[in-house]
Amino acid sequence: ISSMEIEETSSESGDEDLSQDHIHNKGIFHGCYLLVSKNPDFKGWTYIGYTVNPNRRIKQHNGGCRMGGAKRTSGRGPWDMILIIHGFPNDITALRFEWAWQHPGRSRRLESSLLKKKSKETALDYKLRILSHMLTVGPWCRLPLTIRWLKQEYEVSFQPQNQPPIHMPIVYGLVDIQPLPLNEKEVSGNASSKSILNVQSR
């Protein structure tokens, strides 16, 4: 996927999980999420995006453009952020995943003939089917990704032929983004300050 494809993307940037796998440091978290509209006038609408802070991002979407939400979601909410895939090593890798998830027919890594929307398939089911396929193909199948259901009532099982790799856990609950420890801020800032500046509003 070329850098031009990344620039063309429209990306913007449950139950409580009591384990520690929901805690992530600010500036290190990179996730691609799926929204579903709860507005009866926009029933079935979905949106795929990228974020470094899911809790802040859903508030922006539900607040509309004036709060930093995406144009495509403004006025069509309220929205539920039902699922997020995280564990990407950096923003570029996550943005490429997001772009392919949004545009499976244009991604060189996906076989578009197998991923066309079926006539009776809902937008949500279609997005989830694409996701399940993406997690089984390279390079994404080799990444240490986590599949997190933020809203467990939306959970669906992966088809037997598209089970995620065994190293990708399926977990539940919200994500807690915390500040970096003081002794790690300087190292992280020097290594990824440019990346964070590019995506800090998402």
Side-chain angles (χ1 to χ4, degrees), residues 3 14 53 70 123 167 173-174 180 199:
S3 59
N53 190 324
H167 68 271
L174 302 179
L180 279 173
V199 299

Side-chain angles (χ1 to χ4, degrees), residues 3-22:
S3 59
M4 181 178 297
E5 288 175 331
I6 295 174
E7 293 171 359
E8 289 174 353
T9 182
S10 61
S11 67
E12 302 292 337
S13 97
D15 295 329
E16 184 177 1
D17 187 346
L18 298 180
S19 68
Q20 296 300 303
D21 66 358
H22 68 293

Side-chain angles (χ1 to χ4, degrees), residues 114-132:
L114 300 178
L115 294 175
K116 293 181 179 179
K117 188 176 181 300
K118 300 175 182 178
S119 59
K120 295 184 179 181
E121 194 172 33
T122 67
L124 176 58
D125 288 342
Y126 178 52
K127 298 293 193 308
L128 292 174
R129 181 164 63 86
I130 293 170
L131 172 64
S132 65

Side-chain angles (χ1 to χ4, degrees), residues 9-13 31-33 47-54 56-57 60-61 68 70 95 98 102 198-202:
T9 182
S10 61
S11 67
E12 302 292 337
S13 97
C32 292
Y33 60 85
Y47 179 86
I48 292 167
Y50 160 77
T51 188
V52 297
N53 190 324
R56 180 182 64 194
R57 192 65 187 132
Q60 291 175 325
H61 279 299
L95 286 167
E98 178 211 28
Q102 291 174 335
N198 287 338
V199 299
Q200 61 185 353
S201 64
R202 297 183 177 187

Side-chain angles (χ1 to χ4, degrees), residues 69-131:
K71 183 177 180 180
R72 286 188 55 223
T73 59
S74 185
R76 297 179 173 91
W79 296 86
D80 270 340
M81 185 180 288
I82 69 168
L83 172 74
I84 190 164
I85 309 299
H86 60 89
F88 297 97
N90 51 56
D91 59 328
I92 296 299
T93 304
L95 286 167
R96 286 174 173 166
F97 185 93
E98 178 211 28
W99 189 93
W101 194 4
Q102 291 174 335
H103 309 96
R106 296 166 59 187
S107 172
R108 296 196 305 267
R109 301 186 184 278
L110 302 176
E111 298 180 37
S112 58
S113 60
L114 300 178
L115 294 175
K116 293 181 179 179
K117 188 176 181 300
K118 300 175 182 178
S119 59
K120 295 184 179 181
E121 194 172 33
T122 67
L124 176 58
D125 288 342
Y126 178 52
K127 298 293 193 308
L128 292 174
R129 181 164 63 86
I130 293 170
L131 172 64

Side-chain angles (χ1 to χ4, degrees), residues 14-24 29 32-34 53-55 58 81-86 146-155 169-177:
D15 295 329
E16 184 177 1
D17 187 346
L18 298 180
S19 68
Q20 296 300 303
D21 66 358
H22 68 293
I23 299 176
H24 298 269
F29 184 91
C32 292
Y33 60 85
L34 178 60
N53 190 324
N55 303 324
I58 187 60
M81 185 180 288
I82 69 168
L83 172 74
I84 190 164
I85 309 299
H86 60 89
T146 293
I147 303 158
R148 179 176 293 275
W149 288 97
L150 302 169
K151 296 286 186 179
Q152 197 168 347
E153 61 266 30
Y154 290 93
E155 182 186 10
I170 299 176
V171 300
Y172 307 89
L174 302 179
V175 176
D176 183 10
I177 305 296

